[in-house]
């Protein structure tokens, strides 16, 4: 047996060293490692405020609660409940993200008690009037993009991989994104978005990372700047709770209707 | 109704050990209605202003909750529109595999935009708006089971709510006023007839499907000619015992939402079918802005033809829904329903814009165009109106 293991190990060694990896392979490998390191969180809940700012500097604040359930072999399920502004209090958004096929999305409107299906083409649309599109806030499955490693460089003193990722879905609002991943922790530090005409559109910066359960990194602050409109949106996350015991029973049309 | 209310309030006050403290929210609204034409029917006031309030109390425990939503409206012109209702007053228990709700609730069924054929649990609060979207609270026991094969809901409805109608002085009413005090029922149990309903709903990938059956007092009355105490002609609502089977189907594919609602109803004259079907297409990021524009088209059909009790026996609806996606969440919906057998059409407009975190303005209006004696909106032909509301949310 021993020689066999020895042979197979040396084969792995050869494959890693003697064949040059293409930038596409390296990009994909980094994206897969990013995903792998976040595997197994099971579920989390968090509270967030989103501050929207327009060109004139006027501000408006949204207060939101989020629960997310990891689905093995598929995209996450998440439930978002709005607390502020007061006129949309009790509005809730349920989404089942998928690796390849279109996401399923429903919105609950409390005044009419109505659950509305939302067409999947809204992914490029604005989330709550913010500079975040739906596709920016739903789970970032590896299969949703193709990848290309561009270069390694330091950002804010940290060594980072710079990867280009191109959305697979033609309904995406972007031709491409450039992502800076921390080389040590494999977490995103910055994303630059290019619109359908390949013009610079937005920059998202992840700030104030904290680690939970000794494994899962989450940014407390996410700043999105739209370079074309000069508007910005800042997401502040707090009260992250992992492995709270959520299950499928908390992510369906009944739980959507009673969420508030 | 009052006994229910007192019982529930007593139980609510008895329960200690809260997980999440109870909280109040809700709104106050002041509104003015501008009618473009002089009142047509004798006794009607020309203009209308109103005030309404809908506070909301919610208290949640680990696996249960208590909700209380009273409603009050004060109307300057129409005594029938000045009214109080308990929109919601119920306990909900949700240990996981099922939800059990007991009390007064609002339940919505349906997928289409132009009308809500399948939606039958709650009675329409028609004095609120002519579109019938406002509903009265319905006492019920609702048991909802969640399984891999779908969600099945059972409803026991022990008390019937009569539809509200504008009074003699109100606009947007029939030429002969409706006398709700003389309402008649097919069942000798009258409002205490025990109504039952069941609904099965399932999502299969991009398809949402629901099948429902209702047996009991029909929510939609027919009218009998009569006279009031002073001998004036009135219309008397008559509520039949009906059976109604409903289907809701929705299919989503990229920008398209395809929708169908259909019913088969027995017990109200000859049995009949009616359906609403169509689509909603969304242009996301219209003209390279942040705006979304939805185009809605629906066909409304009723096999009773001109004998239908709804105005939509063979009509086509086209609408545009604009979501500006700005900080103020500005929204506007414009729709026209064209009668395919007659020239008549109805134009409706609905819009809203947030002013601050607490204040919001809304507009709502209807135009009744080229109505003739054979169309059900004939009596409303001079009631074109635009309503402006200022709302305070807390």
């Amino acid at each position: 047996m021993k020689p066999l293991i020895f042979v197979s190990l040396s084969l792995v060694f050869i494959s890693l060293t003697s064949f040059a990896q293409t930038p596409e392979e390296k990009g994909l490998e980094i994206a897969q490692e990013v995903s792998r390191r976040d595997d197994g969180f099971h579920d989390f809940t968090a509270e967030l405020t989103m501050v929207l700012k327009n060109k004139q500097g006027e501000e408006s604040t949204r207060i939101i609660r989020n629960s997310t359930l990891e689905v093995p072999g598929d995209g996450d399920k998440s439930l978002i409940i709005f607390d502020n502004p007061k006129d949309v209090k009790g509005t809730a958004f349920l989404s089942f993200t998928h690796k390849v096929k279109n996401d399923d999305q429903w919105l609950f409107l409390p005044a009419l008690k109505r659950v509305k299906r939302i067409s999947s083409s809204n992914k490029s649309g604005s989330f709550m009037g913010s500079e975040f599109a739906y596709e920016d806030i739903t789970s970032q499955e590896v299969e949703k993009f193709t990848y290309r490693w561009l270069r390694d460089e330091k950002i804010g003193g940290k060594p980072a991989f710079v990867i280009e990722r191109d959305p697979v879905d033609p309904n995406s609002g972007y031709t491409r994104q450039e992502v800076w991943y921390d080389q040590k922790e494999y977490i995103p530090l910055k994303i630059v978005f290019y619109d359908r005409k390949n013009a610079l559109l937005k920059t998202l910066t992840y700030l104030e990372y904290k680690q939970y359960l000794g494994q899962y990194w989450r940014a407390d602050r996410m700043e999105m700047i739209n370079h074309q409109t000069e508007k910005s949106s800042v997401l502040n996350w707090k009260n992250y709770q992992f492995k709270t015991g959520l299950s499928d029973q908390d992510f369906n049309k009944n739980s959507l209707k009673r969420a508030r | 109704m009052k006994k229910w209310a007192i019982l529930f309030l007593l139980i609510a006050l008895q329960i200690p050990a809260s997980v999440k403290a109870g909280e109040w929210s809700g709104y106050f609204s002041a509104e003015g209605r501008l009618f473009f034409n002089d009142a047509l029917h004798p006794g009607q006031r020309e203009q209308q202003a109103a005030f309404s309030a809908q506070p909301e109390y919610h208290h949640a425990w680990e696996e249960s909750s208590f909700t209380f939503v009273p409603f009050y409206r004060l109307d300057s012109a129409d005594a029938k529109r000045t009214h109080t209702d308990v929109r919601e007053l119920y306990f909900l228990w949700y240990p996981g595999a099922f939800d059990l709700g007991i009390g007064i609730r609002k339940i919505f069924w349906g997928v289409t935009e132009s009308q809500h054929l399948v939606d039958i649990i709650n009675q329409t609060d028609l004095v609120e708006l002519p579109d019938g979207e406002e509903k009265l609270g319905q006492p019920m026991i609702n048991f909802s089971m969640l399984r891999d094969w779908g969600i099945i809901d059972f409803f026991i409805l022990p008390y019937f709510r009569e539809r509200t109608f504008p009074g003699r002085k109100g606009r947007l009413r029939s030429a002969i006023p409706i006398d709700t005090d003389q309402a008649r029922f097919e069942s000798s149990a009258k409002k205490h007839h025990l109504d039952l309903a069941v609904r099965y709903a399932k999502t299969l990938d991009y398809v949402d499907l629901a099948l429902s059956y209702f047996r009991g007092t029909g929510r939609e009355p027919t009218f009998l000619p009569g006279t009031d105490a002073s001998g004036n002609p009135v219309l008397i609502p008559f509520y039949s015992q009906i059976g109604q089977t409903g289907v809701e189907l929705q299919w989503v594919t990229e920008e398209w939402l395809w929708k169908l609602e259909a019913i088969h109803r027995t017990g109200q004259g000859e049995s009949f079918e009616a359906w609403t079907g169509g689509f909603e297409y969304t242009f996301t990021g219209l003209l390279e802005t942040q705006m979304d524009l939805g185009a809605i088209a629906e066909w409304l059909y009723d096999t009773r033809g001109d004998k239908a009790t709804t105005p939509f026996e063979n009509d086509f609806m086209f609408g545009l829904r604009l979501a500006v996606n700005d900080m103020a969440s500005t929204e506007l919906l414009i729709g026209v329903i064209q009668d395919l057998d007659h020239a008549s059409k109805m134009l409706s407009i609905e819009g809203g814009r947030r002013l601050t975190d607490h204040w919001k303005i809304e507009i709502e209006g209807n135009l009744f165009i080229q109505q003739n004696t054979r169309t059900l909106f004939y009596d409303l032909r001079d009631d074109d109106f635009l309503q402006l509301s200022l709302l305070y949310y807390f």
Side-chain angles (χ1 to χ4, degrees):
Chain A
M1 291 299 284
K2 253 182 190 171
L4 199 67
I5 289 173
F6 189 75
V7 169
S8 58
L9 278 176
S10 56
L11 275 175
V12 170
F13 189 69
I14 290 165
S15 73
L16 282 175
T17 51
S18 57
F19 300 103
Q21 213 179 9
T22 65
E24 286 75 17
E25 284 165 349
K26 186 168 178 181
L28 177 63
E29 198 174 273
I30 292 164
Q32 285 167 338
E33 182 62 14
V34 168
S35 168
R36 195 192 63 78
R37 291 203 187 189
D38 203 48
D39 271 354
F41 67 82
H42 191 270
D43 69 84
F44 71 83
T45 62
E47 293 165 25
L48 49 153
T49 58
M50 183 162 69
V51 181
L52 318 185
K53 199 188 251 183
N54 66 12
K55 204 172 168 178
Q56 289 74 38
E58 291 164 332
E59 286 188 1
S60 175
T61 304
R62 317 287 193 235
I63 301 173
I64 306 158
R65 279 169 291 147
N66 172 65
S67 336
T68 296
L69 178 73
E70 191 177 21
V71 181
D74 202 354
D76 299 341
K77 292 183 178 182
S78 76
L79 182 63
I80 292 170
I81 305 161
F82 303 107
D83 288 332
N84 194 65
K86 297 292 183 188
D87 62 299
V88 294
K89 186 178 160 59
T91 303
F93 177 71
L94 176 68
S95 69
F96 296 174
T97 53
H98 299 297
K99 284 178 184 292
V100 181
K101 58 178 197 162
N102 284 326
D103 298 345
D104 301 316
Q105 302 172 326
W106 298 268
L107 191 68
F108 176 67
L109 303 167
L112 299 172
K113 308 289 171 207
R114 181 171 179 183
V115 174
K116 282 191 87 167
R117 182 103 186 203
I118 299 178
S119 72
S120 45
S121 66
N122 81 328
K123 64 188 315 171
S124 64
S126 160
F127 174 72
M128 292 282 286
S130 76
E131 299 312 307
F132 288 89
Y134 280 89
E135 63 186 308
D136 304 337
I137 58 156
T138 51
S139 88
Q140 309 282 303
E141 301 300 324
V142 173
E143 291 81 355
K144 291 195 183 267
F145 303 91
T146 58
Y147 301 86
R148 193 157 64 94
W149 169 80
L150 298 175
R151 60 188 180 274
D152 289 348
E153 70 178 28
K154 280 195 172 180
I155 173 171
K158 292 176 190 162
F161 303 114
V162 188
I163 308 291
E164 178 184 318
R165 58 177 195 185
D166 302 346
V168 173
D169 187 339
N171 282 316
S172 169
Y174 315 115
T175 46
R176 62 189 174 101
Q177 302 175 3
E178 282 171 14
V179 192
W180 280 253
Y181 286 111
D182 183 283
Q183 288 193 1
K184 185 162 164 266
E185 301 297 347
Y186 282 78
I187 50 179
L189 301 172
K190 184 168 102 167
I191 304 179
V192 178
F193 300 85
Y194 294 85
D195 68 13
R196 285 179 180 147
K197 291 180 173 162
N198 204 14
L200 174 65
L201 179 62
K202 303 187 290 193
T203 299
L204 172 62
T205 313
Y206 294 79
L207 299 159
E208 297 164 35
Y209 266 106
K210 286 202 186 90
Q211 197 177 22
Y212 298 87
L213 306 182
Q215 181 178 357
Y216 309 107
W217 290 94
R218 293 289 182 275
D220 274 357
R221 200 172 153 81
M222 292 159 68
E223 294 181 356
M224 181 73 94
I225 295 166
N226 187 319
H227 303 290
Q228 296 182 1
T229 62
E230 293 175 49
K231 290 195 271 188
S232 71
S233 300
V234 178
L235 273 176
N236 295 296
W237 297 74
K238 61 177 186 185
N239 289 341
Y240 266 111
Q241 312 263 344
F242 282 78
K243 298 193 173 161
T244 62
L246 292 173
S247 72
D248 270 338
Q249 289 180 341
D250 300 293
F251 298 87
N252 56 62
K253 285 188 201 168
N254 275 6
S255 56
L256 178 65
K257 283 187 251 185
R258 64 169 182 256
R260 53 163 77 217
Chain B
M1 287 294 285
K2 274 182 186 146
K3 270 185 263 171
W4 279 70
I6 291 164
L7 179 70
F8 274 101
L9 282 175
L10 282 175
I11 296 169
L13 294 171
Q14 300 287 317
I15 294 180
S18 60
V19 165
K20 191 175 137 197
E23 54 170 13
W24 284 96
S25 56
Y27 69 84
F28 297 99
S29 165
E31 68 185 44
R33 270 184 184 175
L34 176 71
F35 291 92
F36 303 143
N37 303 305
D38 290 344
L40 187 68
H41 310 306
Q44 281 183 317
R45 295 276 182 86
E46 292 300 329
Q47 305 300 342
Q48 226 170 352
F51 166 82
S52 69
Q54 185 172 291
E56 199 168 327
Y57 179 77
H58 185 73
H59 196 125
W61 295 273
E62 195 66 56
E63 288 179 346
S64 59
S65 68
F66 169 76
T67 306
F68 176 43
V69 185
F71 172 81
Y72 177 70
R73 174 175 296 285
L74 180 67
D75 189 273
S76 67
D78 185 355
K80 291 282 186 189
R81 199 163 182 256
T82 295
H83 69 303
T84 309
D85 186 39
V86 177
R87 295 289 201 228
E88 294 171 58
L89 176 62
Y90 68 97
F91 275 105
L92 189 66
W93 182 37
Y94 40 93
F98 63 86
D99 285 18
L100 178 66
I102 301 173
I104 299 165
R105 298 183 71 186
K106 277 209 284 187
I107 302 288
F108 179 86
W109 296 348
V111 293
T112 57
E113 303 300 318
S114 53
Q115 67 172 348
H116 306 304
L117 281 175
V118 170
D119 189 37
I120 195 169
I121 297 292
N122 291 78
Q123 179 59 276
T124 299
D125 195 0
L126 196 63
V127 291
E128 284 295 299
L129 279 171
D131 68 9
E133 296 246 326
E134 293 297 326
K135 298 289 171 179
L136 295 167
Q138 171 65 48
M140 70 177 73
I141 298 170
N142 167 217
F143 181 73
S144 182
M145 251 186 352
L146 183 70
R147 291 288 182 273
D148 291 340
W149 39 262
I151 294 174
I152 190 158
D153 275 277
F154 298 95
F155 296 89
I156 297 171
L157 311 163
Y159 185 82
F160 177 75
R161 306 293 312 276
E162 287 175 54
R163 185 166 292 197
T164 62
F165 293 97
R168 190 175 289 273
K169 290 179 181 173
R171 301 292 296 255
L172 296 158
R173 70 159 164 90
S174 50
I176 302 170
I178 292 161
D179 189 351
T180 50
D181 294 339
Q182 297 190 59
R184 288 181 210 166
F185 299 86
E186 181 181 340
S187 164
S188 57
K190 296 187 173 177
K191 289 195 235 181
H192 295 279
H193 184 272
L194 190 72
D195 299 344
L196 300 169
V198 58
R199 180 173 183 262
Y200 168 73
K202 168 85 178 156
T203 298
L204 292 154
D205 276 335
Y206 303 134
V207 176
D208 289 295
L209 169 76
L211 299 170
S212 56
Y213 183 71
F214 170 90
R215 165 120 239 130
T217 312
R219 272 46 183 158
E220 184 185 45
T222 49
F223 298 98
L224 308 168
T227 53
D228 65 9
S230 338
N232 298 314
V234 290
L235 293 174
I236 297 166
F238 177 76
Y239 295 96
S240 320
Q241 286 297 305
I242 65 159
Q244 180 170 307
T245 309
V247 179
E248 299 153 65
L249 195 62
Q250 185 159 248
W251 179 43
V252 58
T253 159
E254 307 288 341
E255 300 87 351
W256 299 88
L257 277 175
W258 294 92
K259 304 165 175 202
L260 176 72
E261 280 187 40
I263 58 167
H264 169 75
R265 188 185 291 173
T266 56
Q268 199 172 24
E270 279 178 45
S271 65
F272 68 94
E273 289 80 38
W275 58 82
T276 313
F279 64 81
E280 180 163 355
Y281 182 93
T282 308
F283 301 90
T284 304
L286 182 72
L287 305 170
E288 297 180 27
T289 65
Q290 219 170 24
M291 294 191 273
D292 297 335
L293 183 70
I296 304 159
E298 290 177 3
W299 178 43
L300 303 81
Y301 194 82
D302 190 313
T303 57
R304 290 172 296 179
D306 278 352
K307 283 182 270 177
T309 49
T310 75
F312 309 122
E313 77 294 342
N314 186 19
D315 292 62
F316 184 80
M317 181 264 195
F318 180 75
L320 288 173
R321 186 205 311 274
L322 181 73
V324 178
N325 282 325
D326 55 350
M327 273 192 199
S329 301
T330 310
E331 282 194 325
L332 189 66
L333 174 67
I334 296 173
V336 61
I337 299 183
Q338 171 69 53
D339 192 318
L340 296 173
D341 299 327
H342 307 280
S344 65
K345 50 180 119 352
M346 182 183 73
L347 194 81
S348 60
I349 180 168
E350 250 179 78
R353 183 175 166 82
R354 187 182 306 116
L355 301 172
T356 71
D357 275 359
H358 293 282
W359 293 92
K360 191 180 178 189
I361 47 168
E362 286 180 358
I363 55 163
E364 175 114 24
N366 283 119
L367 294 180
F368 305 95
I369 303 161
Q370 286 180 294
Q371 301 294 326
N372 66 47
T373 50
R374 296 182 62 195
T375 59
L376 280 185
F377 285 134
Y378 181 65
D379 290 353
L380 308 184
R381 63 193 179 276
D382 280 351
D383 284 338
D384 300 338
F385 76 99
L386 198 63
Q387 170 180 309
L388 189 69
S389 313
L390 179 66
L391 298 106
Y392 177 79
Y393 287 87
F394 58 98

